[in-house]
């Protein structure tokens, strides 16, 4: 590959213009947190004082988020559907190739924001503080690298790297069953990674020349049995992280035992990696197979939505109930991806952005009242609205956003997915009607289990032991507002998010339409 080329295209049909940055800004965004993590062990102290490690992590991630916003504002053209390469450096056969398009840019911003706020939420960490904040910094690097990598091996290494900090953060700083939850998490995700590696290497070996470049792999677009096997390998591998039924069972355990800041990362960023990877690999690289299996993804999405909502009712732990809610809401991402058309995939992207903000807010507020009550058991709480009125207001607001109240981002993302499903003419009318009816069941169940949660925790008989607790502090108010205000902005002005990725989702839909037309032409010729 010519190192002077400024652009890596996912397919030849995508737009080809961009503004070359002239400096490896994306590499700086990725490597800055990891570099700071290497400095963390050199800080003075015995590891019980969080002030210096926390300040370093906050400062570095604050600079990193500012850099993300500046780079994308100055060098990223949201009107281009192609991958805009900012840095290209070959090394040891591994192509350090980072690029951004509409699929990755919004999620990099989301990752930077949620990771920064998770550090700010870790104010009372006292155990092994240097290791704790170093792991959050490494996690920030791994997350950005997953979304920006344009080399399969680099992507896979980043995908594996982010497993290590999450495992340790749960295993060391989690609850009573933390070892079980952490082990279950790593077994599920490591096994899934093996399928991802096999499928990726199979694609790399399938052409005349061996390549790990994602753009060149996408240009091959294999079909038939080989393409189907690769698609299924990716689907299962990425479906674990989404999470997709029945591969989701690690999630309630992980959320139930992780502390609130780690749950913010799990729900706000890690689940979005699964949705992003399905768009990048399954849809973009294997469009012919995706068209064949799109109805199956719709069915899986419906199962996620309904099963996750029903399962939430059975949970008496606040975080486990919210975790099951995440399973349900990520079903809309599967629904949007399976809808095939531009509107459906736009809804899937918007749902990932929206859910990342809302779920992070819900887990953060849950952490706020857990620090004061030292319990997450719903039967052991009650009457908290009188002693925690501001906390109640924030939890209610995030719950209303989660149940898709009009005027908040959850509503516009889910209605966009519905419109995408109904507008795609490749599905029969009956299939579309059944899909909407079944998905609507999840929409009906969501306010029931979320509002009943609010009622049981914040109203009802007051628990004497919880009679006097302090409400949210200014730092906590700022974190909560930073997560909830964007949900209102997107809810009233969705173009602020849609404009970032619309060109890319339109290009994906056009590529799928072209693939479908070619397939129909082949069938007509054979007939």
């Amino acid at each position: 590959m010519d190192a002077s080329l400024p652009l890596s295209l996912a397919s030849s049909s995508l737009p080809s213009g961009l503004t070359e940055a002239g400096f490896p800004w994306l590499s700086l965004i990725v490597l800055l947190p990891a570099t700071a993590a290497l400095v963390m062990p050199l800080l003075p102290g015995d590891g019980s004082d969080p002030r210096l490690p926390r300040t370093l992590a906050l400062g570095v991630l604050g600079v990193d988020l500012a850099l993300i916003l500046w780079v994308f504002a100055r060098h990223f053209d949201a009107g281009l559907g192609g991958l805009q390469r900012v840095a290209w450096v070959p090394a040891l056969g591994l192509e350090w190739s980072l690029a951004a398009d509409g699929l990755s840019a919004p999620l990099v911003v989301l990752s930077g924001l949620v990771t920064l706020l998770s550090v700010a939420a870790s104010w009372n960490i006292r155990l092994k503080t240097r290791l704790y904040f170093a792991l959050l910094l490494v996690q920030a690097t791994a997350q950005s690298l997953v979304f920006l990598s344009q080399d399969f091996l680099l992507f896979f290494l980043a995908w594996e790297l982010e497993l290590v900090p999450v495992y340790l953060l749960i295993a060391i700083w989690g609850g009573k069953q933390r070892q079980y939850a952490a082990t279950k998490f790593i077994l599920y995700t490591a096994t899934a990674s093996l399928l991802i590696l096999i499928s990726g290497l199979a694609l790399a070996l399938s052409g005349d020349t061996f390549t790990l470049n994602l753009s060149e792999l996408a240009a091959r677009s294999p079909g038939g049995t080989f393409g189907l096997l690769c698609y299924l390998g990716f689907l299962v591998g990425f479906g674990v992280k989404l999470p997709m039924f029945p591969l989701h069972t690690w999630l309630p355990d992980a959320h139930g035992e992780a502390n609130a800041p780690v749950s913010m990362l799990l729900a706000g960023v890690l689940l979005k990696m699964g949705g992003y990877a399905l768009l990048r690999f399954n849809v973009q690289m294997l469009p012919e197979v995706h068209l064949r299996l799109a109805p199956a993804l719709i069915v899986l999405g419906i199962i996620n939505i309904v099963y996750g909502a029903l399962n939430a009712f059975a949970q008496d732990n606040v975080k486990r109930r919210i975790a099951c809610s995440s399973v349900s809401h990520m079903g809309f991402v599967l629904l949007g991806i399976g809808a095939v058309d531009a509107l459906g995939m736009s809804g899937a992207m918007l749902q990932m952005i929206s859910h990342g903000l809302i779920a992070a807010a819900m887990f953060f507020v849950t952490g706020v009242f857990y620090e004061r009550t030292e319990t997450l058991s719903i039967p052991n709480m009650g009457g908290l609205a009188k002693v925690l009125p501001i906390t109640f207001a924030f939890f209610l607001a995030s719950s209303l956003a989660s149940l898709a109240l009009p005027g908040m981002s959850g509503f516009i993302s889910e209605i966009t997915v519905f419109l995408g499903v109904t507008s795609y003419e490749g599905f029969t009318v009956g299939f579309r009607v059944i899909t909407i009816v079944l998905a609507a069941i999840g929409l009906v169940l969501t306010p029931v289990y979320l509002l009943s949660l609010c009622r049981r925790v914040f109203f009802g008989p007051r628990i004497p032991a919880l009679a006097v607790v302090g409400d949210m502090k200014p730092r906590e108010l700022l974190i909560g507002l930073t997560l909830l205000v964007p949900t209102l902005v997107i809810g009233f002005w969705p173009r602020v998010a849609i404009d970032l990725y619309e060109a890319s989702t339109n290009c994906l839909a056009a590529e799928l339409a072209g693939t479908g037309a070619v397939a129909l032409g082949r069938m007509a010729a054979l007939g």
Side-chain angles (χ1 to χ4, degrees):
M1 180 183 293
D2 186 355
S4 65
L5 288 177
L7 179 67
S8 168
L9 292 176
S11 74
S12 58
S13 65
L14 299 182
S16 58
L18 74 87
T19 301
E20 176 61 44
F23 186 83
W25 292 112
L26 294 184
S27 296
L28 183 60
I29 288 170
V30 168
L31 296 176
L32 182 60
T35 303
L38 295 176
V39 177
M40 197 69 74
L42 304 179
L43 297 179
D46 58 1
S48 61
D49 186 353
R51 287 176 295 181
L52 197 55
R54 184 180 63 214
T55 301
L56 176 61
L58 279 173
V60 170
L61 291 176
V63 171
D64 202 49
L65 178 59
L67 188 62
I68 289 170
L69 296 174
W70 180 81
V71 168
F72 286 135
R74 180 167 180 176
H75 299 296
F76 179 73
D77 186 349
L80 301 178
L83 293 165
Q84 302 170 47
R85 189 179 302 282
V86 180
W88 185 85
V89 180
L92 302 177
L94 169 65
E95 187 181 84
W96 180 268
S97 179
L98 306 181
D101 67 352
L103 302 182
S104 56
L107 298 178
V108 173
V109 176
L110 177 69
S111 171
L113 176 64
V114 174
T115 308
L116 174 64
L117 295 179
S118 70
V119 171
S122 304
W123 208 257
N124 296 320
I125 294 295
R126 294 291 184 271
L127 174 66
K128 301 179 180 178
T129 57
R130 286 175 292 185
L131 176 60
Y132 178 87
F133 289 105
L135 290 173
L136 289 180
L137 289 169
V138 172
Q139 183 68 16
T141 286
Q143 291 166 177
S144 297
L145 196 53
V146 165
F147 295 129
L148 295 172
S149 297
Q150 293 308 307
D151 177 90
F152 174 74
L153 185 56
L154 187 61
F155 168 87
F156 182 76
L157 291 176
W159 188 273
E160 291 296 284
L161 176 61
E162 55 87 16
L163 302 181
V164 178
V166 175
Y167 170 79
L168 293 175
L169 287 166
I170 297 174
I172 299 175
W173 291 273
K176 294 180 180 179
Q177 300 294 322
R178 58 184 180 272
Q179 296 295 337
Y180 169 79
T183 302
K184 191 172 184 180
F185 164 79
I186 202 69
L187 285 176
Y188 269 69
T189 51
T191 303
S193 296
L194 182 61
L195 291 174
I196 296 170
L197 179 62
I198 293 172
S199 300
L201 291 179
L203 281 179
L205 292 165
S206 63
D208 296 331
T209 58
F210 177 81
T211 181
L212 294 168
N213 184 278
L214 297 189
S215 303
E216 296 174 9
L217 292 178
R220 295 179 176 178
S221 300
T225 303
F226 174 76
L228 177 63
L229 291 175
C230 291
Y231 188 98
L232 292 175
F234 284 138
L235 180 62
V236 174
F238 299 136
V240 168
K241 189 68 67 70
L242 188 69
M244 180 180 70
F245 177 89
L247 310 172
H248 67 287
T249 58
W250 63 271
L251 186 66
D253 292 308
H255 274 306
E257 300 305 321
N259 62 18
V262 176
S263 287
M264 290 169 64
L265 280 178
L266 279 172
V269 184
L270 263 71
L271 305 190
K272 312 307 171 286
M273 292 180 182
Y276 165 80
L278 286 175
L279 287 169
R280 180 68 74 202
F281 287 82
N282 291 66
V283 178
Q284 199 169 49
M285 292 188 180
L286 301 162
E288 182 178 333
V289 182
H290 180 67
L291 287 172
R292 290 163 53 194
L293 295 185
L297 260 66
I298 295 286
V299 173
L300 290 171
I302 292 295
I303 294 173
N304 256 54
I305 293 169
V306 177
Y307 172 83
L310 290 173
N311 201 24
F313 282 103
Q315 307 303 321
D316 282 333
N317 178 290
V318 177
K319 290 180 70 177
R320 291 181 70 93
R321 180 169 291 199
I322 300 172
C324 293
S325 171
S326 292
V327 174
S328 179
H329 284 95
M330 291 305 289
F332 284 96
V333 176
L334 278 175
L335 212 61
I337 295 173
V340 173
D341 65 354
L343 195 58
M345 285 184 284
S346 175
M349 280 295 300
L350 192 58
Q351 177 70 352
M352 285 193 281
I353 297 169
S354 171
H355 181 263
L357 294 168
I358 295 170
M362 294 192 74
F363 280 113
F364 167 70
V365 180
T366 300
V368 169
F369 64 73
Y370 174 74
E371 288 183 357
R372 288 148 173 83
T373 64
E374 297 185 351
T375 182
L376 289 171
S377 173
I378 298 174
N380 293 332
M381 287 186 278
L384 289 180
K386 295 181 180 180
V387 291
L388 298 173
I390 300 176
T391 304
F392 164 65
F394 271 86
F395 191 83
L396 179 61
S398 58
S399 297
L400 293 175
S402 183
L403 60 83
L405 182 75
M408 306 190 85
S409 61
F411 172 78
I412 194 67
S413 62
E414 292 180 10
I415 198 67
T416 304
V417 170
F418 277 126
L419 292 174
V421 173
T422 56
S423 63
Y424 180 57
E425 297 180 356
F427 300 142
T428 65
V429 175
F431 182 82
R432 283 181 274 178
V433 170
I434 293 173
T435 297
I436 296 303
V437 170
L438 293 178
I441 294 175
L443 289 180
V444 172
L445 293 175
T446 302
V448 178
Y449 67 73
L450 285 178
L451 294 180
S452 67
L453 172 64
C454 290
R455 176 184 58 80
R456 295 176 65 184
V457 171
F458 291 99
F459 294 98
R462 296 177 65 181
I463 307 298
L466 307 178
V468 181
V469 292
D471 211 342
M472 294 180 77
K473 299 176 182 178
R475 169 186 59 85
E476 295 166 330
L477 283 172
L478 180 60
I479 296 172
L481 287 171
T482 305
L483 289 168
L484 285 177
V485 168
T487 67
L488 289 169
V489 173
I490 295 173
F492 283 99
W493 187 26
R495 297 301 311 184
V496 72
I498 294 173
D499 285 344
L500 292 174
Y501 61 76
E502 189 173 40
S504 292
T505 53
N506 286 343
C507 284
L508 272 181
E511 187 73 17
L512 288 170
T515 301
V518 170
L520 288 174
R522 289 175 183 169
M523 292 175 63
L526 291 174

